[in-house]
Amino acid sequence: MRKILKWGVTLLVILATLTGAYLGWLYWRMHATSTQDEVVTATPPAPVKSPPQEVKPEVLHPLVAPEAPAVATTTLDNSDDIFTAFVASLFADHKLPDFIIPERMLRRFVATVDNLPRKELAARIRPIKPVPGMFIAEKQGETLSISLQNEARYARYVNALEAIDVTALVKFYASHYGLFQKAYQELGYPKANFNDRLFEAIDDLLDTPQVQPPVMLVQPKVVYLYADSSLENRSAGQKIMLRMGADSSLRVKAVLKKIRAELQRYDTTHQTAS
């Protein structure tokens, strides 16, 4: 009996010792945590960093308008009448060519300019109707090439472009530039400069290589592709230039150079308009 009591007392002592040790450790842990919390709380907060300032995209071709628009109340939604009337005035008979689409013309022009340097140009946004007739490919044995007859399909368009008064065209554009810029912002470029994109599109067209016929093709499925991958990977605008033929392409480039030179008269990085 005494042994049992002795072992019982011993066991109680051990348990009491372990319990005391655990409570001591728990008290130290809580005290240490509390102390650490106090130290952290006492540390002065880190300085709040100022949000980074928004960097505006660089404008490569800032444009200065020569005068206020003739109709100050013109908006994108009511611009069709004034824009189509002006385009018609560029031609000798003062009539809008039947291949020009008058509805939403300004918006279509801006969307087309934006798409020309890209890989694809959607037909629904073009300001002019598709070139009439079917694309003609010549087949000699196992080889395909662009037929020289295709150039005739573009004749009306090239002739109309050459007849335009470039000075009047660019002056109207500069005078109404706010509308063009707004239409560009509507496409999803709220901070970009449309005049920069116009220069980019013109320069891309001017960079189209002068490929002498025959221009070779392949037809892996239904659609014709350029046999030369360096041509097939060109922009949508350059592919149009290639399809219209070497001579027509040179004529279009000559007009584009005149338009570019006239645009520079309103470009503040060169000189202001006279």
Side-chain angles (χ1 to χ4, degrees):
M1 183 69 176
R2 289 182 180 178
K3 289 184 178 180
I4 295 175
L5 290 175
K6 184 177 180 181
W7 279 106
V9 172
T10 304
L11 181 61
L12 287 175
V13 172
I14 294 174
L15 290 175
T17 303
L18 292 175
T19 303
Y22 170 75
L23 291 176
W25 173 83
L26 182 63
Y27 173 80
W28 172 85
R29 181 66 177 171
M30 294 175 62
H31 180 71
T33 304
S34 175
T35 304
Q36 288 176 0
D37 290 342
E38 291 176 1
V39 172
V40 172
T41 304
T43 303
V48 178
K49 294 182 179 180
S50 301
Q53 294 185 349
E54 186 177 4
V55 178
K56 295 183 178 180
E58 181 183 3
V59 177
L60 302 178
H61 299 281
L63 183 144
V64 55
E67 58 188 28
V71 181
T73 57
T74 302
T75 66
L76 273 176
D77 293 330
N78 64 15
S79 63
D80 280 349
D81 289 342
I82 185 173
F83 197 53
T84 54
F86 167 74
V87 173
S89 72
L90 295 174
F91 300 96
D93 57 2
H94 294 279
K95 292 182 180 180
L96 201 66
D98 59 4
F99 56 78
I100 292 181
I101 302 173
E103 294 81 13
R104 298 170 61 86
M105 186 188 295
L106 193 149
R107 282 186 171 100
R108 288 175 180 271
F109 170 78
V110 169
T112 298
V113 167
D114 180 54
N115 276 258
L116 281 173
R118 303 184 189 279
K119 294 297 182 183
E120 300 292 337
L121 175 59
R124 61 183 175 79
I125 67 172
R126 296 182 186 181
I128 60 176
K129 298 176 183 178
V131 177
M134 297 293 293
F135 177 80
I136 306 173
E138 290 185 354
K139 187 173 183 179
Q140 295 181 348
E142 297 298 321
T143 62
L144 288 170
S145 62
I146 297 178
S147 172
L148 297 179
Q149 298 178 47
N150 279 297
E151 191 160 353
R153 300 168 58 224
Y154 293 88
R156 292 180 63 212
Y157 297 78
V158 177
N159 291 339
L161 182 64
E162 289 180 327
I164 288 177
D165 184 339
V166 170
T167 301
L169 173 67
V170 176
K171 184 176 181 180
F172 179 91
Y173 165 75
S175 299
H176 296 77
Y177 179 70
L179 295 176
F180 293 88
Q181 177 64 23
K182 187 173 182 180
Y184 191 49
Q185 291 173 338
E186 280 188 355
L187 290 179
Y189 310 102
K191 299 173 185 177
N193 184 46
F194 175 68
N195 201 48
D196 286 351
R197 189 60 171 171
L198 179 58
F199 270 90
E200 187 177 354
I202 291 175
D203 290 343
D204 181 69
L205 293 173
L206 291 175
D207 284 341
T208 305
Q210 286 301 122
V211 182
Q212 295 302 319
V215 180
M216 308 309 295
L217 304 171
V218 292
Q219 192 180 21
K221 293 183 180 179
V222 178
V223 180
Y224 291 106
L225 304 175
Y226 292 99
D228 186 342
S229 60
S230 67
L231 298 181
E232 183 58 36
N233 292 326
R234 298 256 167 193
S235 67
Q238 290 193 12
K239 286 183 179 180
I240 294 174
M241 297 282 280
L242 290 169
R243 281 198 298 271
M244 68 175 57
D247 292 340
S248 292
S249 177
L250 282 174
R251 292 167 62 189
V252 171
K253 285 183 178 182
V255 178
L256 289 174
K257 289 177 181 178
K258 292 179 182 178
I259 293 174
R260 194 186 194 285
E262 192 66 23
L263 281 169
Q264 288 183 333
R265 297 183 62 241
Y266 301 95
D267 185 344
T268 58
T269 60
H270 290 80
Q271 61 183 46
T272 56
S274 57

